[in-house]
Amino acid sequence: MERAAILPSVNQNYLLCPSRAFSTRLHSSTRNLSPPSFASIKHSSSSVSSNGGISLTRCNAVSSNSSSTLVTELADIDWDTVGFGLKPADYMYVMKCNIDGEFSKGELQRFGNIEISPSAGVLNYGQGLFEGLKAYRKKDGNNILLFRPEENAKRMRNGAERMCMPAPTVEQFVEAVTETVLANKRWVPPPGKGSLYVRPLLMGTGAVLGLAPAPEYTFIIYVSPVGNYFKEGVAPINLIVENEFHRATPGGTGGVKTIGNYAAVLKAQSIAKAKGYSDVLYLDCIYKRYLEEVSSCNIFIVKDNVISTPEIKGTILPGITRKSMIDVARTQGFQVEERNVTVDELLEADEVFCTGTAVVVSPVGSVTYKGKRVSYGEGTFGTVSKQLYTVLTSLQMGLIEDNMKWTVNLS
Ligand code: COI
């Protein structure tokens, strides 16, 4: 299917009425998706459907709702082989912020390259943040669920404060995510085949030469359908505990989602992967004794049915899946401790698992520390992690009632 063939028809008109919180009517009226205007955001407790707005050439209609006029159309790709690589979708969202720190109204543009000054703050001094969240297609084929988008908005705002950047408001952020997901609705995988990964970026795009905050910022959201993050799929991963390289230092930026944190782990990760490990588990840089996190996710251990995870103290990312997992575990009756967790405890744990937006929940099958390999489980999830994984993912995919009020329904 040629991407040019799915240009939206005239008179796009999105109506989305989330079941929990957000109802946004977006109007846009040209073939090129001119800037939509946000008429309202209101709180609502009922879900109202619409036709989703974009008229697309049917390419692979694999799901439809025969009881209504709604028709869900999917991009023509092999949904069984989607991994965690970029599959460019149709549109990206772009919003600029001027020198006064005010964001203009954002707009949807065709997904594509952007132009940037060689002197941009993000390129020269790493002034950039990103976020990651997911949208799931519900079983009915038409409703899409976002998982806790306000949490990403708040985390981006915290990170922006640390990085001396202005940031979109929570409302602007959630509207932008909503609009981007709906514009790319055909890229949200069918139920059970993965999710649409949403990647918001905030970066200093104004030109600087001397070290200073950039004079202008750009907020972009792009999306890609994704499947499992690790090549192991949902099979257990094998971690190596890193003793030399560190991800973060006290007082540094390890607790915010700045782009540099991820460049900093590439070296250790590459070495580990070359040796056959799935990823790296970092220790604190002072005592080299306490667990921090894996390159792209948080870590949990289970011992005698008590769940423990490193506490948030500035050097690990406050993961939204981590936080959700803690709440899910407590509602399931488990004792959960957020505290310093030693590498010795890790080696003696009954179960170990990782959480993250991209990773979701991944069981750890083995950990190697100073040449000693310790294995967990029998090639699958442990009992506790399986239970928590099932509850969390059922909630994210809309398979069980969302008593936590975490999901936002876009229809
Ligand atoms: C996410 O889980 O969304 C992340 O940002 C991790 C990234 C390295 C894929």
Side-chain angles (χ1 to χ4, degrees):
M1 174 74 206
E2 288 299 311
R3 289 185 40 215
I6 50 85
L7 268 172
S9 67
V10 282
N11 220 353
Q12 291 141 11
N13 181 6
Y14 311 83
L15 174 65
L16 44 140
C17 297
S19 58
R20 173 167 57 86
F22 296 95
S23 173
T24 310
R25 185 186 290 273
L26 311 173
H27 298 284
S28 180
S29 61
T30 73
R31 288 179 170 279
N32 300 319
L33 271 189
S34 64
S37 66
F38 303 120
S40 67
I41 284 200
K42 67 179 182 221
H43 291 266
S44 162
S45 59
S46 62
S47 182
V48 182
S49 302
S50 80
N51 68 2
I54 302 178
S55 168
L56 301 170
T57 302
R58 178 182 294 264
C59 30
N60 185 14
V62 299
S63 173
S64 68
N65 182 344
S66 55
S67 64
S68 75
T69 55
L70 301 180
V71 176
T72 301
E73 312 202 28
L74 295 178
D76 191 12
I77 61 171
D78 180 0
W79 295 103
D80 290 319
T81 57
V82 177
F84 203 91
L86 180 69
K87 288 209 180 321
D90 300 323
Y91 300 101
M92 61 185 186
Y93 186 93
V94 181
M95 183 163 69
K96 299 236 179 215
C97 175
N98 63 21
I99 200 158
D100 302 324
E102 279 161 26
F103 281 89
S104 60
K105 191 153 12 143
E107 65 176 26
L108 288 169
Q109 297 178 2
R110 276 294 193 181
F111 178 84
N113 292 348
I114 58 169
E115 196 167 274
I116 195 169
S117 164
S119 192
V122 65
L123 296 181
N124 291 262
Y125 301 123
Q127 214 189 3
L129 290 166
F130 75 94
E131 276 299 326
L133 64 157
K134 282 179 172 173
Y136 291 89
R137 189 180 293 277
K138 283 185 79 176
K139 265 192 163 165
D140 64 15
N142 273 306
N143 285 288
I144 308 289
L145 288 183
L146 287 177
F147 188 68
R148 311 191 79 176
E150 313 89 333
E151 292 297 323
N152 294 88
K154 288 189 230 159
R155 189 168 66 183
M156 179 168 266
R157 290 184 64 77
N158 284 342
E161 200 281 323
R162 176 66 178 83
M163 301 297 290
C164 291
M165 304 163 82
T169 63
V170 171
E171 194 175 78
Q172 284 173 321
F173 183 102
V174 176
E175 280 183 356
V177 167
T178 300
E179 192 175 347
T180 312
V181 169
L182 285 177
N184 292 292
K185 193 171 176 182
R186 73 192 191 103
W187 294 96
V188 184
K193 301 284 183 192
S195 58
L196 187 74
Y197 185 76
V198 182
R199 175 52 68 82
L201 297 172
L202 179 64
M203 53 196 163
T205 39
V208 282
L209 193 54
L211 180 58
E216 193 188 287
Y217 295 83
T218 304
F219 175 70
I220 290 184
I221 304 177
Y222 68 90
V223 297
S224 175
V226 295
N228 291 317
Y229 183 76
F230 289 114
K231 72 171 172 30
E232 288 82 352
V234 287
I237 57 170
N238 300 300
L239 298 177
I240 181 162
V241 180
E242 176 58 55
N243 223 21
E244 186 188 341
F245 296 109
H246 293 282
R247 180 188 167 277
T249 53
T253 57
V256 298
K257 213 162 170 62
T258 185
I259 54 177
N261 289 347
Y262 294 82
V265 298
L266 294 177
K267 178 84 175 167
Q269 193 195 48
S270 307
I271 295 170
K273 287 197 169 176
K275 291 180 182 163
Y277 297 104
S278 319
D279 214 326
V280 175
L281 171 58
Y282 293 91
L283 296 179
D284 78 280
C285 69
I286 297 176
Y287 306 102
K288 293 180 182 275
R289 179 164 179 246
Y290 299 108
L291 309 188
E292 296 249 300
E293 66 175 79
V294 179
S295 311
S296 56
C297 46
N298 295 114
I299 186 115
F300 286 75
I301 66 165
V302 184
K303 182 73 179 175
D304 298 331
N305 271 353
V306 175
I307 300 168
S308 304
T309 191
E311 67 183 327
I312 302 293
K313 52 182 191 317
T315 53
I316 68 167
L317 190 81
I320 294 160
T321 315
R322 171 190 177 280
K323 176 172 159 172
S324 307
M325 182 54 104
I326 292 171
D327 288 348
V328 163
R330 288 188 174 138
T331 58
Q332 293 286 304
F334 289 98
Q335 180 181 333
V336 184
E337 299 179 351
E338 294 181 75
R339 59 176 174 82
N340 281 336
V341 181
T342 66
V343 69
D344 293 334
E345 288 180 88
L346 170 77
L347 301 178
E348 283 169 13
D350 300 330
E351 289 177 39
V352 179
F353 63 92
C354 296
T355 63
T357 298
V359 165
V360 190
V361 182
S362 183
V364 175
S366 78
V367 156
T368 301
Y369 175 59
K370 292 187 173 170
K372 179 181 168 194
R373 183 182 173 112
V374 173
S375 297
Y376 312 93
E378 320 227 313
T380 180
F381 273 102
T383 319
V384 173
S385 44
K386 174 77 185 180
Q387 179 180 339
L388 301 179
Y389 165 81
T390 304
V391 176
L392 181 68
T393 54
S394 301
L395 221 149
Q396 290 174 325
M397 293 187 277
L399 300 175
I400 55 173
E401 198 183 334
D402 178 10
N403 294 324
M404 310 300 257
K405 303 274 177 274
W406 282 342
T407 52
V408 176
N409 190 58
L410 314 181
S411 55

